[in-house]
Amino acid sequence: MTSVFRNDETAENSASLASVLTDCSIEVMPRTAAKIGDFRQILPQGTRVYVAHIRDTPIDDMVATARRLTDEGFQPMPHLPARIIPDRLTLETWVRRYREEAGVTQALLLGGGVSTPAGDLDSSIAMLETGVFDRLGFDRLHVAGHPEGNKDIDRDGGTAVVDEALKWKQSFSERTDAEMAIVTQFAFEAAPVIAWAERIAAAGITLPIHVGVAGPTKLQTLIKYAVACGVGPSLNVLQKRALDLRKLLVPYEPTDFLVDIAAHRAAYPESSIERVHVFPLGGIQASADWLARVRDGASHQD
């Protein structure tokens, strides 16, 4: 088998990469999940699978997808985007349906990415303040992290608002029964992610971090998604790659990014960086195949 590692990687780094990919999560949408005949054929049993809730997706489709994942032995984690939820009663109805109809006990709470809220819920903090998740027995709640900032939130290009929000969520994590973690927007360079993780830790934010990575896809597609999602300076990595016509013809893979994250974790085991979350921008099958290949490559390096 051809190695997926860079030529300068050591067996120690390979083992670290395998470790950082242990228990990684991935996400689907109901319409993409419908194209997969059986998730057990492509993902390890017990994988956490986020179910992305895009605006105008019927809640029936979301609950049905979560139910299917539960039945196939996975851990569904539906998105709950505050700004598309009309009111608190709707939030509680959705959460109750996930719990009672699909056996769901975990959720990713998001602002929602739309400019005008559908009702009085405008942030993940507003949803947490309702107390509905504790009342309905949700035992894991994830929130978003933005290592390169978020100009939709901090319009001046800074980080003051997102930093304050994370401090509030850290405080909330100390009074909820649920386990909490931060899942980040995907990036293409490890250094800014590591620096952000160290900065928020110094500010007292110790929630575990699940680092977002973009799964394999065509470079042109990836740049389009990165621009739409507001990826920051690490986008330069892709733009430089696009100048190399040889690389333009080869699908992007985040292996180098993850090797650097793994090396950091190995050197600083106290880091809050705990796991990886894969955004399957080139399709879930492509990402699942890549993950299997990387894990297999890591085992061959031992």
Side-chain angles (χ1 to χ4, degrees):
M1 172 175 288
T2 301
S3 173
V4 297
F5 298 103
R6 299 183 307 208
N7 292 333
D8 62 346
E9 286 311 307
T10 65
E12 181 180 356
N13 280 347
S14 300
S16 297
L17 180 57
S19 174
V20 84
L21 285 172
T22 299
D23 296 328
C24 70
S25 55
I26 197 164
E27 69 181 53
V28 298
M29 294 181 288
R31 63 179 176 82
T32 55
K35 299 176 183 178
I36 303 298
D38 188 336
F39 280 96
R40 290 167 291 194
Q41 301 299 315
I42 65 170
L43 296 175
Q45 280 293 107
T47 296
R48 176 174 294 121
V49 182
Y50 292 62
V51 185
H53 194 153
I54 307 302
R55 191 176 187 176
D56 297 327
T57 301
I59 187 61
D60 289 349
D61 292 354
M62 291 291 298
V63 173
T65 302
R67 175 75 261 173
R68 176 196 169 183
L69 288 164
T70 298
D71 290 344
E72 292 183 7
F74 298 94
Q75 300 180 57
M77 176 176 267
H79 289 192
L80 283 164
R83 289 172 170 254
I84 71 168
I85 301 173
D87 49 48
R88 296 186 179 208
L89 178 59
T90 300
L91 172 65
E92 180 153 358
T93 299
W94 288 9
V95 174
R96 188 178 297 279
R97 288 193 63 185
Y98 281 127
R99 185 74 175 89
E100 296 178 354
E101 297 178 32
V104 169
T105 60
Q106 46 190 298
L108 171 63
L109 310 187
L110 302 166
V114 297
S115 56
T116 304
D120 58 352
L121 297 168
D122 62 354
S123 66
S124 56
I125 290 176
M127 291 191 290
L128 289 168
E129 286 178 328
T130 67
V132 66
F133 301 98
D134 279 334
R135 288 200 306 274
L136 292 177
F138 273 54
D139 57 21
R140 176 167 285 276
L141 300 172
H142 289 185
V143 294
H146 304 280
E148 299 184 280
N150 185 322
K151 290 185 179 180
D152 289 336
I153 299 174
D154 282 285
R155 297 185 182 278
D156 63 357
T159 64
V161 177
V162 290
D163 288 351
E164 258 329 287
L166 282 180
K167 288 178 183 177
W168 188 96
K169 292 163 190 174
Q170 175 69 41
S171 176
F172 180 85
S173 74
E174 295 160 10
R175 58 182 188 271
T176 179
D177 293 332
E179 295 291 322
M180 292 186 66
I182 300 167
V183 60
T184 75
Q185 177 61 276
F186 57 88
F188 305 105
E189 187 176 14
V193 177
I194 292 168
W196 168 80
E198 292 175 340
R199 180 174 66 79
I200 65 171
I205 298 163
T206 58
L207 292 170
I209 296 169
H210 296 197
V211 175
V213 298
T217 189
K218 293 178 181 178
L219 193 58
Q220 301 96 317
T221 301
L222 192 55
I223 291 173
K224 180 187 72 174
Y225 275 114
V227 171
C229 294
V231 171
S234 72
L235 178 60
N236 292 335
V237 172
L238 294 189
Q239 292 169 332
K240 289 178 182 177
R241 182 185 176 100
L243 297 176
D244 187 334
L245 294 180
R246 294 168 301 174
K247 292 182 178 179
L248 196 59
L249 300 175
V250 179
Y252 167 87
E253 294 182 352
T255 307
D256 289 354
F257 173 87
L258 288 175
V259 164
D260 292 339
I261 292 292
H264 173 76
R265 276 209 344 162
Y268 301 96
E270 73 281 5
S271 171
S272 295
I273 294 175
E274 181 182 82
R275 297 185 186 179
V276 168
H277 175 65
V278 178
F279 292 85
L281 303 180
I284 190 167
Q285 184 70 60
S287 287
D289 290 346
W290 172 80
L291 281 168
R293 181 162 53 88
V294 171
R295 288 172 177 142
D296 187 56
S299 69
H300 280 72
Q301 293 283 328
D302 291 342

